[in-house]
Structures are given as structure tokens and as C-alpha cells.
Short mmCIF file of all heavy atoms in Angstrom, two decimals:
data_model
loop_
_atom_site.label_atom_id
_atom_site.label_comp_id
_atom_site.label_asym_id
_atom_site.label_seq_id
_atom_site.Cartn_x
_atom_site.Cartn_y
_atom_site.Cartn_z
N MET A 1 21.93 -15.21 -12.35
CA MET A 1 21.49 -14.13 -13.22
C MET A 1 22.53 -13.11 -13.46
O MET A 1 23.27 -12.72 -12.72
CB MET A 1 20.29 -13.39 -12.57
CG MET A 1 19.71 -12.32 -13.30
SD MET A 1 18.22 -11.67 -12.44
CE MET A 1 18.10 -10.04 -13.25
N THR A 2 22.61 -12.88 -14.75
CA THR A 2 23.68 -11.89 -15.27
C THR A 2 23.33 -10.53 -15.03
O THR A 2 22.10 -10.09 -15.34
CB THR A 2 24.02 -12.06 -16.84
OG1 THR A 2 24.41 -13.47 -17.04
CG2 THR A 2 25.12 -11.23 -17.26
N GLU A 3 24.14 -9.65 -14.47
CA GLU A 3 23.79 -8.26 -14.16
C GLU A 3 23.84 -7.52 -15.56
O GLU A 3 24.67 -7.87 -16.36
CB GLU A 3 24.77 -7.61 -13.19
CG GLU A 3 24.52 -8.12 -11.85
CD GLU A 3 25.46 -7.27 -10.87
OE1 GLU A 3 25.55 -6.10 -11.08
OE2 GLU A 3 25.70 -7.84 -9.84
N LEU A 4 22.95 -6.63 -15.75
CA LEU A 4 22.86 -5.84 -17.02
C LEU A 4 23.90 -4.77 -16.90
O LEU A 4 24.21 -4.11 -15.80
CB LEU A 4 21.54 -5.19 -17.27
CG LEU A 4 20.33 -6.11 -17.45
CD1 LEU A 4 19.04 -5.44 -17.43
CD2 LEU A 4 20.45 -6.88 -18.71
N GLU A 5 24.45 -4.39 -18.04
CA GLU A 5 25.37 -3.33 -18.11
C GLU A 5 24.50 -1.94 -17.92
O GLU A 5 23.52 -1.87 -18.30
CB GLU A 5 26.12 -3.21 -19.56
CG GLU A 5 26.96 -4.39 -19.72
CD GLU A 5 27.73 -4.41 -20.98
OE1 GLU A 5 27.87 -3.21 -21.55
OE2 GLU A 5 28.08 -5.45 -21.57
N ASP A 6 25.12 -0.93 -17.26
CA ASP A 6 24.45 0.24 -17.04
C ASP A 6 24.88 1.39 -17.97
O ASP A 6 25.17 2.46 -17.62
CB ASP A 6 24.80 0.79 -15.52
CG ASP A 6 24.03 0.01 -14.50
OD1 ASP A 6 23.00 -0.56 -14.82
OD2 ASP A 6 24.58 -0.11 -13.45
N HIS A 7 24.77 1.11 -19.24
CA HIS A 7 25.07 2.07 -20.24
C HIS A 7 24.45 1.45 -21.58
O HIS A 7 24.05 0.37 -21.76
CB HIS A 7 26.51 2.43 -20.42
CG HIS A 7 27.34 1.23 -20.93
ND1 HIS A 7 27.79 0.28 -19.98
CD2 HIS A 7 27.77 0.86 -22.10
CE1 HIS A 7 28.45 -0.59 -20.73
NE2 HIS A 7 28.48 -0.35 -22.00
N GLY A 8 24.26 2.51 -22.43
CA GLY A 8 23.68 2.11 -23.89
C GLY A 8 22.24 1.54 -23.81
O GLY A 8 21.48 1.97 -23.11
N LEU A 9 22.00 0.54 -24.66
CA LEU A 9 20.66 0.04 -24.80
C LEU A 9 20.11 -0.54 -23.50
O LEU A 9 18.92 -0.36 -23.21
CB LEU A 9 20.60 -0.95 -25.89
CG LEU A 9 19.31 -1.64 -26.30
CD1 LEU A 9 18.30 -0.43 -26.57
CD2 LEU A 9 19.43 -2.59 -27.35
N PRO A 10 20.88 -1.28 -22.73
CA PRO A 10 20.24 -1.86 -21.46
C PRO A 10 19.85 -0.77 -20.51
O PRO A 10 18.77 -0.81 -19.88
CB PRO A 10 21.50 -2.63 -20.90
CG PRO A 10 22.32 -3.06 -21.92
CD PRO A 10 22.26 -1.97 -23.03
N LEU A 11 20.62 0.37 -20.40
CA LEU A 11 20.18 1.40 -19.48
C LEU A 11 18.94 2.13 -20.12
O LEU A 11 17.96 2.49 -19.38
CB LEU A 11 21.21 2.47 -19.34
CG LEU A 11 20.86 3.61 -18.49
CD1 LEU A 11 20.46 3.15 -17.09
CD2 LEU A 11 22.12 4.56 -18.36
N THR A 12 18.82 2.25 -21.49
CA THR A 12 17.64 2.85 -22.05
C THR A 12 16.42 1.94 -21.71
O THR A 12 15.28 2.46 -21.42
CB THR A 12 17.84 2.92 -23.46
OG1 THR A 12 18.99 3.73 -23.79
CG2 THR A 12 16.58 3.53 -24.26
N ALA A 13 16.61 0.56 -21.89
CA ALA A 13 15.48 -0.31 -21.56
C ALA A 13 15.04 -0.14 -20.11
O ALA A 13 13.71 -0.19 -19.87
CB ALA A 13 15.87 -1.72 -21.88
N LEU A 14 15.95 -0.05 -19.11
CA LEU A 14 15.55 0.14 -17.82
C LEU A 14 14.90 1.52 -17.54
O LEU A 14 13.90 1.64 -16.75
CB LEU A 14 16.81 0.06 -16.93
CG LEU A 14 17.47 -1.39 -16.69
CD1 LEU A 14 18.67 -1.30 -15.91
CD2 LEU A 14 16.36 -2.22 -16.11
N ALA A 15 15.45 2.49 -18.19
CA ALA A 15 14.76 3.89 -18.11
C ALA A 15 13.21 3.76 -18.61
O ALA A 15 12.46 4.38 -17.95
CB ALA A 15 15.57 4.84 -18.79
N VAL A 16 13.02 3.07 -19.68
CA VAL A 16 11.68 3.03 -20.15
C VAL A 16 10.81 2.15 -19.20
O VAL A 16 9.69 2.49 -18.93
CB VAL A 16 11.66 2.35 -21.60
CG1 VAL A 16 10.27 1.92 -21.95
CG2 VAL A 16 12.40 3.25 -22.60
N ALA A 17 11.37 1.10 -18.69
CA ALA A 17 10.65 0.35 -17.65
C ALA A 17 10.41 1.13 -16.53
O ALA A 17 9.22 1.01 -15.80
CB ALA A 17 11.46 -0.94 -17.24
N ALA A 18 11.35 2.04 -16.04
CA ALA A 18 11.03 2.90 -14.89
C ALA A 18 9.99 3.78 -15.30
O ALA A 18 9.04 4.04 -14.27
CB ALA A 18 12.27 3.61 -14.52
N GLY A 19 9.91 4.38 -16.36
CA GLY A 19 8.87 5.22 -16.80
C GLY A 19 7.47 4.61 -16.76
O GLY A 19 6.36 5.05 -16.28
N ARG A 20 7.39 3.33 -17.16
CA ARG A 20 6.22 2.57 -17.27
C ARG A 20 5.72 2.16 -15.78
O ARG A 20 4.63 2.15 -15.41
CB ARG A 20 6.40 1.33 -18.00
CG ARG A 20 6.59 1.63 -19.43
CD ARG A 20 6.86 0.29 -20.20
NE ARG A 20 5.67 -0.65 -20.38
CZ ARG A 20 4.80 -0.63 -21.35
NH1 ARG A 20 4.90 0.36 -22.30
NH2 ARG A 20 3.58 -1.44 -21.25
N ALA A 21 6.79 1.95 -14.91
CA ALA A 21 6.42 1.74 -13.58
C ALA A 21 5.88 2.91 -12.84
O ALA A 21 4.82 2.75 -12.20
CB ALA A 21 7.64 1.17 -12.74
N VAL A 22 6.33 4.06 -13.06
CA VAL A 22 5.88 5.32 -12.42
C VAL A 22 4.43 5.56 -13.06
O VAL A 22 3.59 5.89 -12.24
CB VAL A 22 6.76 6.46 -12.80
CG1 VAL A 22 6.16 7.79 -12.36
CG2 VAL A 22 8.11 6.37 -12.12
N GLU A 23 4.30 5.36 -14.30
CA GLU A 23 2.94 5.59 -14.90
C GLU A 23 1.86 4.65 -14.33
O GLU A 23 0.83 5.02 -14.03
CB GLU A 23 2.91 5.46 -16.39
CG GLU A 23 1.64 5.75 -17.13
CD GLU A 23 1.10 7.15 -16.93
OE1 GLU A 23 1.91 8.15 -16.59
OE2 GLU A 23 -0.12 7.33 -16.97
N THR A 24 2.30 3.34 -14.11
CA THR A 24 1.39 2.33 -13.60
C THR A 24 1.02 2.61 -12.23
O THR A 24 -0.11 2.33 -11.84
CB THR A 24 2.12 0.98 -13.58
OG1 THR A 24 2.31 0.73 -15.08
CG2 THR A 24 1.35 -0.16 -13.03
N SER A 25 1.83 3.39 -11.40
CA SER A 25 1.51 3.66 -9.97
C SER A 25 0.56 4.84 -9.83
O SER A 25 0.03 5.13 -8.70
CB SER A 25 2.88 3.83 -9.35
OG SER A 25 3.39 5.16 -9.53
N ARG A 26 0.25 5.63 -11.05
CA ARG A 26 -0.59 6.74 -10.83
C ARG A 26 -1.98 6.36 -10.63
O ARG A 26 -2.41 5.14 -10.85
CB ARG A 26 -0.53 7.58 -12.14
CG ARG A 26 0.80 8.21 -12.34
CD ARG A 26 0.86 8.90 -13.51
NE ARG A 26 -0.03 10.07 -13.58
CZ ARG A 26 -0.64 10.70 -14.67
NH1 ARG A 26 -0.23 10.41 -15.89
NH2 ARG A 26 -1.41 11.68 -14.53
N SER A 27 -2.89 7.26 -10.16
CA SER A 27 -4.22 6.87 -9.92
C SER A 27 -5.17 6.55 -11.09
O SER A 27 -6.00 5.74 -11.05
CB SER A 27 -4.97 7.96 -8.98
OG SER A 27 -4.88 9.16 -9.76
N ALA A 28 -4.81 7.24 -12.16
CA ALA A 28 -5.45 7.03 -13.57
C ALA A 28 -4.31 6.78 -14.67
O ALA A 28 -4.13 7.72 -15.36
CB ALA A 28 -6.34 8.12 -13.80
N PRO A 29 -3.74 5.65 -14.62
CA PRO A 29 -2.54 5.49 -15.52
C PRO A 29 -3.02 5.38 -16.98
O PRO A 29 -4.12 4.83 -17.28
CB PRO A 29 -1.98 4.14 -15.02
CG PRO A 29 -3.09 3.42 -14.38
CD PRO A 29 -3.95 4.53 -13.77
N LEU A 30 -2.11 5.79 -17.83
CA LEU A 30 -2.48 5.60 -19.35
C LEU A 30 -2.11 4.27 -19.69
O LEU A 30 -2.72 3.74 -20.78
CB LEU A 30 -1.60 6.70 -20.14
CG LEU A 30 -2.03 8.15 -19.84
CD1 LEU A 30 -0.96 9.07 -20.64
CD2 LEU A 30 -3.35 8.40 -20.43
N ILE A 31 -1.20 3.55 -19.07
CA ILE A 31 -0.63 2.30 -19.41
C ILE A 31 -0.70 1.62 -17.99
O ILE A 31 -0.40 2.16 -16.99
CB ILE A 31 0.57 2.08 -20.09
CG1 ILE A 31 1.74 2.81 -19.40
CG2 ILE A 31 0.38 2.64 -21.46
CD1 ILE A 31 2.78 1.83 -18.88
N ALA A 32 -0.75 0.18 -17.93
CA ALA A 32 -0.63 -0.57 -16.82
C ALA A 32 0.42 -1.75 -17.11
O ALA A 32 0.08 -2.55 -17.96
CB ALA A 32 -1.89 -1.11 -16.34
N ASP A 33 1.53 -1.62 -16.56
CA ASP A 33 2.64 -2.60 -16.71
C ASP A 33 2.98 -3.24 -15.35
O ASP A 33 3.82 -2.63 -14.70
CB ASP A 33 3.84 -2.03 -17.43
CG ASP A 33 4.80 -3.10 -17.80
OD1 ASP A 33 4.73 -4.21 -17.18
OD2 ASP A 33 5.80 -2.85 -18.59
N PRO A 34 2.30 -4.39 -14.99
CA PRO A 34 2.50 -4.92 -13.60
C PRO A 34 4.06 -5.50 -13.44
O PRO A 34 4.35 -5.75 -12.30
CB PRO A 34 1.50 -6.01 -13.51
CG PRO A 34 1.24 -6.37 -14.94
CD PRO A 34 1.33 -5.23 -15.81
N PHE A 35 4.76 -5.64 -14.52
CA PHE A 35 6.12 -6.12 -14.43
C PHE A 35 7.19 -5.07 -14.49
O PHE A 35 8.38 -5.51 -14.10
CB PHE A 35 6.33 -7.18 -15.59
CG PHE A 35 5.27 -8.20 -15.58
CD1 PHE A 35 4.33 -8.24 -16.58
CD2 PHE A 35 5.33 -9.28 -14.66
CE1 PHE A 35 3.31 -9.27 -16.65
CE2 PHE A 35 4.29 -10.20 -14.72
CZ PHE A 35 3.20 -10.24 -15.67
N ALA A 36 6.95 -3.94 -14.82
CA ALA A 36 7.95 -2.92 -15.03
C ALA A 36 8.79 -2.58 -13.72
O ALA A 36 9.96 -2.69 -13.72
CB ALA A 36 7.44 -1.55 -15.41
N ALA A 37 8.00 -2.39 -12.62
CA ALA A 37 8.80 -2.11 -11.30
C ALA A 37 9.71 -3.27 -10.95
O ALA A 37 10.85 -3.13 -10.52
CB ALA A 37 7.75 -1.82 -10.13
N ALA A 38 9.23 -4.51 -11.11
CA ALA A 38 9.94 -5.77 -10.71
C ALA A 38 11.18 -5.85 -11.56
O ALA A 38 12.20 -6.20 -11.08
CB ALA A 38 9.15 -6.92 -10.82
N LEU A 39 11.14 -5.48 -12.85
CA LEU A 39 12.26 -5.60 -13.84
C LEU A 39 13.29 -4.55 -13.35
O LEU A 39 14.55 -4.88 -13.31
CB LEU A 39 11.85 -5.23 -15.23
CG LEU A 39 12.87 -5.02 -16.26
CD1 LEU A 39 13.59 -6.41 -16.47
CD2 LEU A 39 12.37 -4.61 -17.52
N VAL A 40 12.87 -3.26 -13.04
CA VAL A 40 13.88 -2.25 -12.71
C VAL A 40 14.67 -2.68 -11.25
O VAL A 40 15.72 -2.56 -11.22
CB VAL A 40 13.24 -0.85 -12.52
CG1 VAL A 40 14.15 0.09 -11.93
CG2 VAL A 40 12.66 -0.48 -13.79
N GLU A 41 13.84 -3.25 -10.37
CA GLU A 41 14.42 -3.63 -9.15
C GLU A 41 15.32 -4.86 -9.24
O GLU A 41 16.33 -4.88 -8.66
CB GLU A 41 13.33 -3.86 -8.14
CG GLU A 41 12.59 -2.56 -7.63
CD GLU A 41 11.34 -2.83 -6.94
OE1 GLU A 41 10.91 -4.05 -6.65
OE2 GLU A 41 10.50 -2.00 -6.66
N ALA A 42 14.97 -5.72 -10.06
CA ALA A 42 15.75 -7.04 -10.33
C ALA A 42 17.10 -6.67 -10.96
O ALA A 42 18.03 -7.45 -10.83
CB ALA A 42 14.96 -8.01 -11.12
N ALA A 43 17.05 -5.67 -11.88
CA ALA A 43 18.32 -5.23 -12.54
C ALA A 43 19.42 -4.81 -11.72
O ALA A 43 20.58 -4.93 -12.03
CB ALA A 43 17.91 -4.24 -13.70
N ARG A 44 19.09 -4.27 -10.56
CA ARG A 44 20.15 -3.73 -9.52
C ARG A 44 21.02 -2.85 -10.17
O ARG A 44 22.29 -2.96 -10.09
CB ARG A 44 20.72 -4.94 -8.88
CG ARG A 44 19.96 -5.77 -7.85
CD ARG A 44 20.65 -6.80 -7.26
NE ARG A 44 20.73 -7.91 -8.38
CZ ARG A 44 21.52 -9.01 -8.18
NH1 ARG A 44 22.19 -9.17 -7.16
NH2 ARG A 44 21.50 -9.86 -9.13
N SER A 45 20.57 -1.83 -10.90
CA SER A 45 21.45 -0.88 -11.61
C SER A 45 22.08 0.11 -10.62
O SER A 45 21.46 0.41 -9.58
CB SER A 45 20.59 -0.10 -12.59
OG SER A 45 21.32 0.92 -13.12
N HIS A 46 23.28 0.53 -10.88
CA HIS A 46 23.88 1.59 -10.14
C HIS A 46 23.33 2.92 -10.27
O HIS A 46 23.52 3.80 -9.44
CB HIS A 46 25.37 1.66 -10.37
CG HIS A 46 25.82 2.37 -11.65
ND1 HIS A 46 25.68 1.71 -12.86
CD2 HIS A 46 26.14 3.65 -11.79
CE1 HIS A 46 26.19 2.57 -13.75
NE2 HIS A 46 26.35 3.78 -13.24
N VAL A 47 22.39 3.07 -11.34
CA VAL A 47 21.61 4.30 -11.58
C VAL A 47 20.45 4.14 -10.85
O VAL A 47 19.68 3.17 -10.95
CB VAL A 47 21.37 4.44 -13.10
CG1 VAL A 47 20.45 5.72 -13.36
CG2 VAL A 47 22.64 4.55 -13.93
N ASP A 48 19.92 5.24 -9.98
CA ASP A 48 18.84 5.24 -9.15
C ASP A 48 17.69 5.51 -9.98
O ASP A 48 17.44 6.86 -10.32
CB ASP A 48 18.97 6.17 -8.05
CG ASP A 48 17.93 6.17 -7.02
OD1 ASP A 48 17.24 5.01 -6.91
OD2 ASP A 48 17.74 7.12 -6.31
N LEU A 49 16.89 4.49 -10.41
CA LEU A 49 15.70 4.80 -11.15
C LEU A 49 14.43 4.69 -10.42
O LEU A 49 14.24 3.73 -9.59
CB LEU A 49 15.70 3.81 -12.35
CG LEU A 49 16.86 3.79 -13.36
CD1 LEU A 49 16.87 2.50 -14.25
CD2 LEU A 49 16.70 5.10 -14.22
N PRO A 50 13.47 5.66 -10.61
CA PRO A 50 12.26 5.47 -9.82
C PRO A 50 11.37 4.30 -10.30
O PRO A 50 11.33 3.99 -11.49
CB PRO A 50 11.57 6.88 -10.13
CG PRO A 50 12.10 7.24 -11.57
CD PRO A 50 13.43 6.74 -11.56
N THR A 51 10.53 3.90 -9.36
CA THR A 51 9.54 2.83 -9.73
C THR A 51 8.12 3.24 -9.20
O THR A 51 7.24 2.48 -9.46
CB THR A 51 9.92 1.49 -9.14
OG1 THR A 51 10.02 1.61 -7.71
CG2 THR A 51 11.22 0.97 -9.75
N ALA A 52 7.92 4.36 -8.63
CA ALA A 52 6.67 4.87 -8.13
C ALA A 52 6.65 6.35 -8.02
O ALA A 52 7.67 7.01 -8.06
CB ALA A 52 6.35 4.23 -6.76
#
């Protein structure tokens, strides 16, 4: 698996996925994305992004 670059569009995509993961973990989420946290964790970014 190729590591994603940690800048530009790839970082933006990871940040959006992190936001979706955090929202999914809430007790009453506006959206539910069961894959968002897994995507952020699999990317192994040097930027510490939240997933919950």
C-alpha cells in the first residue's frame, strides 16, 4: 500500500474523513460513516487526526 502524502488534497481528504469519524462516534450523529475511522487509521499520517 502506498502511503498518502501529508499535504494538499490528500491531507484535506483525511481531515474530512476524521470529521466524519468524530461525528459518527457521537450519540446522535448527523451522519454515519462506518469506514471513516478505518481510513484515517490506515493512512498512517504524521498529522495526529482524531477519530472519536
Side-chain angles (χ1 to χ4, degrees):
M1 177 174 165
T2 304
E3 288 189 32
L4 294 174
E5 294 180 28
D6 286 336
H7 63 277
L9 184 58
L11 182 56
T12 302
L14 286 177
V16 170
R20 292 177 67 91
V22 169
E23 182 63 26
T24 298
S25 71
R26 295 179 61 199
S27 61
L30 296 174
I31 57 111
D33 185 345
F35 304 106
L39 173 65
V40 173
E41 292 167 5
R44 293 178 282 170
S45 173
H46 76 278
V47 178
D48 188 25
L49 296 167
T51 57

